[in-house]
Amino acid sequence: MAHPWHYILMAVIYLAAGLAHWFFPKVYLVILPPWMPWKRAVVWASGLAEVLLGAALFIPGLATLALYGIMLMLVAFLPVHAYMLRAYQKFRKIPLWALWLRIPLQGALIYWAYTYL
């Protein structure tokens, strides 16, 4: 059975986001909280997780596991969003409303993955 277009869109979003971690690592290094160790490894590994989970959505035997993985990964990213809100002065190029919007957006993305379980 073919996947609906929005399911394919989800996979493409995670594949693209993961690759962006490798092509533009400085963007991600800057947003990590100061307390987080091994920043380069975290950026590389989170990119790998997004690529693997996005690709796994196309493999029938792994798709359900990938959806759970995506939901867990999005929860794991919440401390970064919280840090950016607390340290919003460091991110002046991003409107404060956009930093706030990222929190419910994470919830919406988690719900989106949940709808396919």
Side-chain angles (χ1 to χ4, degrees):
M1 181 170 96
H3 295 298
W5 68 267
H6 35 87
Y7 185 89
I8 295 169
L9 176 64
M10 180 191 305
V12 169
I13 287 170
Y14 290 109
L15 286 166
L19 292 173
H21 282 70
W22 300 333
F23 289 114
F24 311 105
K26 289 180 183 178
V27 172
Y28 298 94
L29 288 168
V30 172
I31 67 173
L32 292 177
W35 53 263
M36 190 168 287
W38 309 298
K39 288 180 178 28
R40 288 198 182 279
V42 168
V43 169
W44 187 87
S46 59
L48 179 63
E50 286 185 302
V51 166
L52 291 176
L53 292 169
L57 290 174
F58 292 114
I59 303 169
L62 296 177
T64 299
L65 186 61
L67 290 166
Y68 281 112
I70 286 169
M71 291 186 293
L72 287 172
M73 177 184 66
L74 292 169
V75 169
F77 291 168
L78 283 172
V80 172
H81 301 312
Y83 164 68
M84 291 181 75
L85 265 174
R86 284 193 311 270
Y88 70 91
Q89 304 87 350
K90 292 179 71 174
F91 306 102
R92 292 184 189 186
K93 291 184 179 182
I94 304 171
L96 187 56
W97 64 263
L99 295 175
W100 276 104
L101 184 63
R102 292 176 71 178
I103 304 296
L105 178 60
Q106 289 294 102
L109 291 172
I110 291 167
Y111 179 73
W112 188 18
Y114 176 77
T115 63
Y116 289 105
L117 292 176

